Amino acid sequence: MRVIKVGTSEEMGAVAAQIIAERMRAKPHFVLGLATGGTPETTYAELARLHAEAALDFSTTITFNLDEYVALPIEHPESYRSFMNTRLFDKVNINKANTHVPDGNAEDVDAHCLEYELWIEDVGGIDLQVLGIGHNGHIGFAEPGSSLASRTSKVKLTQGTREANARFFENDINKVPTHAISMGIGTILEAETLLMLAGKGKADAIAAALEGPVTAKCPASALQLHPDVICVLCEGAGDKLTLEYQP
Ligand code: PGA
């Protein structure tokens, strides 16, 4: 487990983007797992800058997002497809056909979840998966209680997650979708490298994830089972860690 502590969210974005860019440059057809939410925004801004100013090439990059809301129109500004288009895909030379976000409006959601897993398998798996963490320790939308072996599936969002995300929906929890499609913990653990990003307010969740028991009560604690995890922590997110880690 590597833990890199930095000050600001911008510094976190610079460090994370550098790690991603180095790997992308070393491997054509890089398969990049992406996360949404407030935390990775500075990373995507920095990747877009590296594309514009340092020739970072996305032309052969393949992406898979962790999750998407169910039954939110894809053109809704808060759909994760819209998020990815505006924060990253529209700013770089990626082929949109190579970008995958679960389809929360699929007619047969279960069949789509299975298909999503097969798409990941077909390209040889995810090389690096970007992750955020919920206050309750969720990764993607794999909420507490998800099996540590779970696969991509339709999940019910917890009240706490919907409250946390109400800020993206005019502070009205009733506008936050109740369900999502999310990669499972088992799916996430299969990525070759996990890049966990966390900032303000996540110190307790990060301490539980890295130093608490491995338990379905804290999905991110499953990271302790993975051999290649890099955490980039800003704004005090690492303040409650007690062990010494390699940076
Ligand atoms: P945030 O969400 O980046 O908006 O804090 C992270 C998460 O809930 O996984």
Side-chain angles (χ1 to χ4, degrees):
M1 185 83 73
R2 288 175 58 194
V3 176
I4 303 169
K5 292 185 190 175
V6 296
T8 65
S9 161
E10 284 68 30
E11 286 164 2
M12 176 175 69
V15 170
Q18 199 55 47
I19 292 169
I20 296 168
E22 263 172 36
R23 310 259 176 131
M24 281 175 58
R25 287 193 161 112
K27 185 178 179 194
H29 304 283
F30 193 77
V31 184
L32 178 60
L34 296 167
T36 49
T39 311
E41 293 210 52
T42 53
T43 300
Y44 299 150
E46 181 64 8
L47 285 174
R49 192 192 67 77
L50 290 174
H51 168 69
E53 297 176 14
L56 182 62
D57 179 23
F58 285 78
S59 63
T60 64
T61 307
I62 300 162
T63 68
F64 286 91
N65 267 78
L66 286 169
D67 47 15
E68 177 61 285
Y69 292 113
V70 164
L72 189 68
I74 198 165
E75 59 281 357
H76 190 288
E78 294 304 333
S79 80
Y80 287 165
R81 166 55 75 180
S82 296
F83 178 102
M84 288 315 310
N85 285 347
T86 56
R87 300 325 194 273
L88 185 63
F89 299 156
D90 289 344
K91 296 181 175 172
V92 298
N93 65 332
I94 201 161
N95 177 353
K96 285 260 178 80
N98 289 339
T99 68
H100 307 85
V101 180
D103 179 0
N105 293 288
E107 236 168 74
D108 185 339
V109 170
D110 291 341
H112 176 61
C113 290
L114 209 59
E115 171 181 68
Y116 202 71
E117 291 268 339
L118 291 175
W119 291 341
I120 295 172
E121 207 179 298
D122 280 351
V123 296
I126 292 171
D127 290 307
L128 179 145
Q129 175 67 56
V130 176
L131 294 172
I133 185 168
H135 293 101
N136 62 3
H138 73 201
I139 44 176
F141 274 134
E143 298 280 27
S146 304
S147 158
L148 299 184
S150 52
R151 310 302 307 187
T152 302
S153 60
K154 180 178 171 182
V155 296
K156 186 173 189 294
L157 301 182
T158 63
Q159 178 76 6
T161 293
R162 293 181 67 229
E163 280 166 10
N165 286 8
R167 68 189 199 280
F168 300 120
F169 292 87
E170 299 154 38
N171 287 316
D172 182 354
I173 191 170
N174 297 312
K175 292 189 175 150
V176 183
T178 55
H179 291 78
I181 292 175
S182 179
M183 280 188 205
I185 300 170
T187 319
I188 292 168
L189 288 179
E190 280 172 12
E192 196 153 315
T193 298
L194 301 179
L195 180 61
M196 164 64 81
L197 309 178
K200 213 174 169 63
K202 299 291 174 56
D204 287 317
I206 285 293
L210 271 57
E211 298 184 357
V214 175
T215 166
K217 285 184 182 173
C218 177
S221 66
L223 267 57
Q224 295 176 45
L225 301 171
H226 193 285
D228 188 12
V229 178
I230 308 170
C231 299
V232 187
L233 309 177
C234 70
E235 296 176 319
D239 283 0
K240 294 199 175 164
L241 294 174
T242 61
L243 305 176
E244 280 184 31
Y245 298 88
Q246 308 269 0

